[in-house]
């Protein structure tokens, strides 16, 4: 398997086929993210381009809103083009996750990530950039 980060910038060929992600199942986190989404949608007019119609600007983000119950943190983007690579990745991540659980259990049981800015992949994906100093 190949992480998309290992691919040279602008190189053609393999596209991502799988994401390794942690599903967020904490109701308090869902509530906070929902409030954040409400705030973003309420401010859609100030985020819209000058050419956007007012009605479209007011609803454009609401239409794209993803349910908070499906919230996740993507840890890796992979290109697993055949079943053999997928099986190898599953084995690797099973072993890796056991080690992560051991480390988290040895600490205070919390998984913390601090974010400090936005990043993007082309025109389709916007993401929060982890703070390298605090994470």
């Amino acid at each position: 398997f190949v992480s998309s980060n290992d691919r040279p910038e602008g190189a053609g060929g393999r596209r991502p086929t799988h994401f390794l992600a942690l599903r967020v199942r904490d109701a308090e986190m869902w509530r906070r993210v929902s409030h954040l989404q409400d705030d973003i949608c309420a401010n859609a007019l100030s985020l819209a381009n000058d050419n956007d119609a007012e009605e479209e600007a007011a609803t454009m983000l609401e239409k794209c809103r993803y349910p908070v119950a499906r919230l996740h943190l993507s840890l890796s983007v992979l290109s697993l083009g055949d079943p053999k690579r997928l099986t190898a990745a599953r084995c690797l991540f099973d072993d890796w996750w056991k080690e992560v659980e051991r480390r988290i259990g040895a600490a205070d049981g919390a998984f913390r990530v601090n974010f400090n800015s936005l990043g993007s992949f082309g025109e389709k994906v916007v993401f929060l950039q982890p703070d390298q100093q605090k994470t």
Side-chain angles (χ1 to χ4, degrees):
F1 57 93
V2 176
S3 168
S4 64
N5 294 333
D6 293 337
R7 207 172 351 148
E9 194 69 28
R14 291 183 277 217
R15 296 187 47 82
T17 60
H18 293 79
F19 294 83
L20 175 65
L22 290 176
R23 174 72 52 92
V24 176
R25 298 188 187 275
D26 182 78
E28 177 62 18
M29 179 66 81
W30 291 350
R31 186 186 66 76
R32 290 179 184 197
V33 169
S34 183
H35 286 304
L36 177 63
Q37 290 176 341
D38 291 342
D39 191 48
I40 291 169
C41 292
N43 291 292
L45 286 174
S46 65
L47 298 172
N49 294 330
D50 293 336
N51 297 334
D52 288 341
E54 188 171 318
E55 184 177 328
E56 182 183 352
T59 60
M60 72 176 179
L61 292 176
E62 186 63 41
K63 289 179 182 178
C64 299
R65 192 171 175 164
Y66 208 69
V68 293
R70 307 241 355 240
L71 184 65
H72 67 274
L73 297 173
S74 294
L75 303 177
S76 184
V77 180
L78 308 166
S79 179
L80 304 171
D82 61 58
K84 187 176 179 180
R85 286 185 172 185
L86 180 57
T87 300
R90 284 183 174 159
C91 292
L92 175 77
F93 289 126
D94 281 345
D95 292 343
W96 169 78
W97 185 248
K98 289 173 188 168
E99 179 63 17
V100 169
E101 286 180 317
R102 186 188 65 75
R103 288 181 186 177
I104 289 173
D108 65 0
F111 178 80
R112 292 183 181 87
V113 179
N114 296 299
F115 302 99
N116 66 356
S117 63
L118 288 176
S120 67
F121 298 127
E123 296 179 10
K124 294 187 177 187
V125 177
V126 176
F127 62 92
L128 289 169
Q129 182 70 41
D131 184 340
Q132 298 298 320
Q133 301 301 319
K134 295 183 180 179
T135 300

